[in-house]
Amino acid sequence: MTAVNINNILPPVFFEVFVGVLFVAMVLGLLYDALGGRKLAYFRAERRMMLSASGGGQGREVGVAGVVGRTIVTNLATSRELAKCGASRRVSHELMLWGFILSVVVVVVKVFAYPEVSPVLPASVLGVLLNLGGLLVLVGGLWYLWLRVNVSHEGNSVFRVTRADVFILSLLANAVLGFVLEGADLSGSVVATEVALGLYLPVTAFMFFSVPWSKFSHIFYKGAYAIQREIDRERGVSRLPTPSENSYIKE
Amino acid sequence: MSVRSSKAVHRVDSDILIIGGGMAGCGAAYEARYWGRKMKIVLVEKANIERSGAVAMGLSAINCYMGMRWNENRPEDFVRYARGDLMGLVREDLLFDIARHVDSTVHLFEEWGLPIIYDKQTGHYKREGRWQILIHGESYKPIVAEAAQKAASEVYNRIMVTHLLLDRNKPNRVAGAVGFSVRDGSFYVFRAKAVIVAAGGATHIFRPRSVGEGAGRTWYAPWSTGSAYGLLIQAGAEMTQMENRLVVTRFKDGYGPVGAWFLALKAVAKNAYGEEYERKYVEEQRKLYGDYVDSKPFPTCLRNDAMLREIKAGRHPIYLHTEQVLDTPEKEELGWEDFLDMTMSQSIVWASQNIDPKKRPSELTMSEPYIMGSHATCSGAWASGPEDVSPKDYFWGYNRMTTVEGLFGAGDTIGGSAHKFSSGSFTEGRLAAKAAVKYVLDHADYTPEVDPTEVEALRERVYQPLETYETGKNMIVKGTVSPIYLYPNQGVIRLEKIMDEYAAGYGSMYMTNEFLLNRGLELLIMLKEDLEKLAAENLHQLQRAWELHHRVWTAEAVIRHTLYRKETRWPGYYYRSDYPKLDDQNWHVFVNSRYDPKTREWFMTTRPVHQIVG
Amino acid sequence: MHIDPVMRRAYNIEPEYCWECYSCVKACPQNAIDMRGYADFAPLGHALTVLREPEKGVVSWKVVYRNGETKTFRFPIRTTKFGSIKPPTAYPEPNLDELSGPLLAHEPEYLKVEGLPTLHTKKEAE
């Protein structure tokens, strides 16, 4: 039984356009939220309030590029913001984060550089990486469903679904359907593969088109805020009092 | 959400059940474990024990410490002080008992890590006042909670206890309690051989001075919802001094503390014309209230009375002249720490209104009334005292046991023992717990039983407001206006208006009379009936519904006691315009009440006040 | 503080019963909660932020006035490590005969006087 060649169902150019459209939808969604939703304007206003609460100055001089780089490597890449929330949350987020990044990179590389290479196991390196990405997302994401703070701390049922769950659920659906598609592909059934594509493509599109209304955008906002906080810290600017140098605990 | 969806029922059995995880509850847990090494000790708290209760924010002082080690005070001195402050009506045995033990509690706190401030010159604790010492108390509650958590077998957080359970076999004997989880809604049935109620006194019984968002700024915690009284009254416990409500003079709006300002910083309160007024009316007060005006220190209620007279004469705003005492950076820091350790809202008043305490004075106000047992007043359960101190009619077997067998109380729960504050409440918890351990061992052969029919009926009752909402909401399109049900917040506001207008709230200038009280009672009873029609949209509102129940029971006791005492014993807390004088001839007694849960009747009586300390 | 059902973030569901106790502000691991004084009486433009560092036994406050003036304060909160309290079971078991007596745990040592005060005379009920 040979795997189905998806290029016979939908040509490579379709996928190039599809990925491009999703990227544009994501960007437009973000702009709609940040500009239309006045979040960028608020961010600027908040900067002004923050600096005046800090005593007016811009603080010490700081090399922004260095801070950005450092934040990305030591904070964003390691989900360090979640360290204080407990190990489970941080680990589960790391799985989802790297699974998502891996999956996106592999898909983009495959679609634009290796359209002829099949992304299913055990055919190719791309296939291995894509499966790995999907697995990381699946494990981290399923775990996360129980870690959602309304479930873990407010006694909500894990099956309770609200708008806040749109991103995590579409992400998980995307991972699951990705495996379903792979299975259909490997089974050799064209019909099964067509059906699987008919599910996988809309769900993936939905994930990117729902950016203005889902928690997808946290990727950008949390990232931006983490960088801004590091810059503020380096500058010595804060709405909070400075940490104490001394301890009052008698050993 | 509705009760039709299956809700788990958790049954928790224990030797000792402690209801309420505040200062008193934590003291009870610690001491119970010390004496009952192998006992199962369960503590249940409607919030989270780490910050629950009135000490959530912290405190800047411990207001009950004798300092016997440095010959600063003896317990007898404390009894005399509280007796004078309460115009003669206190349980001297209970007071003596607290005073003789409280120092060991405070020394324990210090060992646990509470930073107590020292006077560098004397090497003693730095005194704020005769009974008060200064502390860096931001983490007072977390420290005490840690000790309790290491003592209790289990601590149940986020469980609201709604009712006590009585033994099905022996009359007037406690058997446990029921409640529900405010997180997941499951029902809890607690069974215990002894129960210690260390729940809250009552706020939001009377209309507060701020009414919008500011309704949250009561001086005593808004989550002290009278559960101590609501639980006990319905179990048939005898209550005392429910008419002895507390009105506090504090910084206006923020209700920030004044103790450090008056006592440690020696700031003075003056009227708008710069005149001191506290002693202005002593001779008039003497004519009405007798020689209690000579008590030293001048009784709290009489200071209130003087301030109220000034306000009625239009000589307010009354100011506390902070600007006259902040002459050093250390004093300024003390003044700020006083607020930041225990009432951050007052700092926010200064910051938001551009008040620099070094440059201008701050306004004082008299609060709305509160009902509590641990502060300058002592409403609560009528309890047995300690065997070695109490006169015969104040002792019936076990220290701090109420008139219900096996049911103990501590902290705001217990009446007649004023001026305990935080350390005294913790100490009272210890006293109750030790007695409860003895009670359990003395009655080792008997385990009370709960009636399963009663428990099931209570279970339905507890969730009824959710059902009421789910069904009744179909009558209206949207919103909160319904002819067939009442939201808890609507009930609280109605209660506050009734009590304010008829039972001597601030809106009535703290004055009432028999006609007003009877009318208030009539309206309160209609509100009580309407409680059967409370609606709750979710578990949070369900908690609010049961808090309202406890508040209404407390309010009913307050009105009945206020009606019964035909005199003005505590001017400045409240006045009976139909009996404007203090009447020691007839009323040098405790006013007590007991509600019979079977016949649903209230019985009022008096009990003698015994002077034990000379 | 409860979790908002739309975006799954914490918010104060009932500010009209908020005591401004700052427990939530101190507890938030991301320092994401701010307090704005009650609208009933607190003009805008003020701030009171807090940094509680239990591992150092200290709390720090920053007051910002409406007119821009700031003040900062730092106070100790604990002299011992959090978690270090000795449980009551770490002490020797008391003699249960003492249950009938008036002494509480660790007494009379922790009273730091020779003995527990008692009343020498008791007035009987009339």
Side-chain angles (χ1 to χ4, degrees), chain A residues 18 29 69 106 188 219 236-237:
Chain A
F18 184 74
V106 168
I219 295 174
V237 160

Side-chain angles (χ1 to χ4, degrees), chain B residues 30-31 33-35 37-38 50-51 53-57 68-69 74-76 96 100-104 107-108 110-115 136-139 142-144 146-147 150-151 183 204 210-223 253-254 332-333 336-337 340-341 344-345 347-359 387-393 427 430-431 434 437-438 441 489 492-493 496 540 544 610-613, chain C residues 1-3 12-27 35-50 52-54 57-69 71-126:
Chain B
Y30 185 85
E31 195 78 17
R33 175 60 65 210
Y34 181 84
W35 296 98
R37 291 289 158 119
K38 302 210 175 23
E50 182 164 333
R51 287 277 181 188
V55 183
M57 308 197 251
M68 297 191 295
R69 68 202 277 206
R74 299 289 305 170
E76 291 88 345
F96 184 85
R100 64 177 172 167
H101 288 287
V102 74
D103 282 11
S104 77
H107 300 144
L108 205 53
E110 186 175 26
E111 184 177 286
W112 288 345
L114 181 69
H136 295 299
E138 183 278 341
S139 284
I143 292 171
V144 163
E146 181 184 316
K150 290 189 173 193
R183 283 281 185 257
H204 285 294
S210 297
V211 293
E213 224 176 63
R217 183 98 293 272
T218 44
W219 158 75
Y220 180 39
W223 48 76
D253 298 334
E332 188 187 0
E333 182 153 308
W336 278 95
E337 184 174 0
L340 292 171
D341 273 351
M344 291 66 107
S345 299
S347 315
I348 289 177
V349 168
W350 279 353
S352 65
Q353 296 180 6
N354 290 332
I355 295 172
D356 183 340
K358 288 200 306 291
K359 300 198 179 109
E387 186 165 15
D388 66 326
V389 171
S390 302
K392 280 212 198 77
D393 55 341
T427 303
R430 298 174 69 190
L431 293 165
K434 184 185 177 191
V437 168
K438 179 166 193 294
L441 291 175
N489 198 41
V492 166
I493 289 171
E496 289 173 335
H540 178 80
R544 292 285 183 252
H610 294 304
Q611 184 170 319
I612 302 169
V613 164
Chain C
M1 300 294 289
H2 282 231
I3 306 299
N12 186 337
I13 59 166
E14 204 173 30
E16 64 273 20
Y17 286 102
C18 173
W19 206 30
E20 291 189 354
C21 75
Y22 268 76
S23 296
C24 62
V25 181
K26 292 169 184 171
M35 193 71 71
R36 191 269 310 201
Y38 300 97
D40 287 43
F41 52 77
L44 295 173
H46 59 275
L48 176 64
T49 57
V50 61
R52 182 172 180 263
E53 298 173 276
V58 71
V59 68
S60 308
W61 298 92
K62 184 177 196 174
V63 185
V64 180
Y65 272 63
R66 177 181 162 97
N67 61 23
E69 201 185 318
K71 291 180 193 287
T72 51
F73 299 95
R74 232 191 270 294
F75 308 119
I77 61 177
R78 187 156 176 174
T79 57
T80 59
K81 280 202 191 122
F82 277 83
S84 66
I85 291 177
K86 213 163 138 179
T89 46
Y91 294 89
E93 252 188 84
N95 187 336
L96 284 179
D97 292 340
E98 311 239 354
L99 266 180
S100 308
L103 291 174
L104 292 177
H106 322 307
E107 288 180 351
E109 303 80 28
Y110 274 64
L111 288 168
K112 300 197 196 284
V113 289
E114 325 78 50
L116 180 73
T118 54
L119 278 176
H120 296 297
T121 58
K122 253 171 61 167
K123 244 200 168 171
E124 294 299 322
E126 284 161 52

Side-chain angles (χ1 to χ4, degrees), chain B residues 496-511:
Chain B
E496 289 173 335
K497 183 177 162 83
I498 291 170
M499 297 302 280
D500 182 60
E501 291 174 355
Y502 296 102
Y506 83 84
S508 307
M509 289 287 185
Y510 310 101
M511 183 168 293

Side-chain angles (χ1 to χ4, degrees), chain A residues 68-149:
Chain A
V68 170
R70 218 172 26 249
T71 308
I72 290 175
V73 169
T74 65
N75 183 333
L76 301 183
T78 64
S79 301
R80 202 184 69 196
E81 297 262 305
L82 295 175
K84 292 175 200 166
C85 301
S88 329
R89 193 177 291 275
R90 190 178 184 184
V91 171
S92 126
H93 187 264
E94 278 289 273
L95 292 173
M96 291 188 282
L97 174 81
W98 287 106
F100 181 74
I101 289 173
L102 189 57
S103 305
V104 166
V105 166
V106 168
V107 164
V108 167
V109 164
K110 183 257 183 292
V111 162
F112 288 96
Y114 301 99
E116 299 305 321
V117 176
S118 167
V120 301
L121 287 173
S124 61
V125 172
L126 278 176
V128 171
L129 292 175
L130 194 55
N131 273 273
L132 179 61
L135 191 64
L136 292 175
V137 167
L138 200 60
V139 170
L142 275 173
W143 188 7
Y144 184 74
L145 290 179
W146 273 266
L147 298 176
R148 283 177 294 166
V149 66

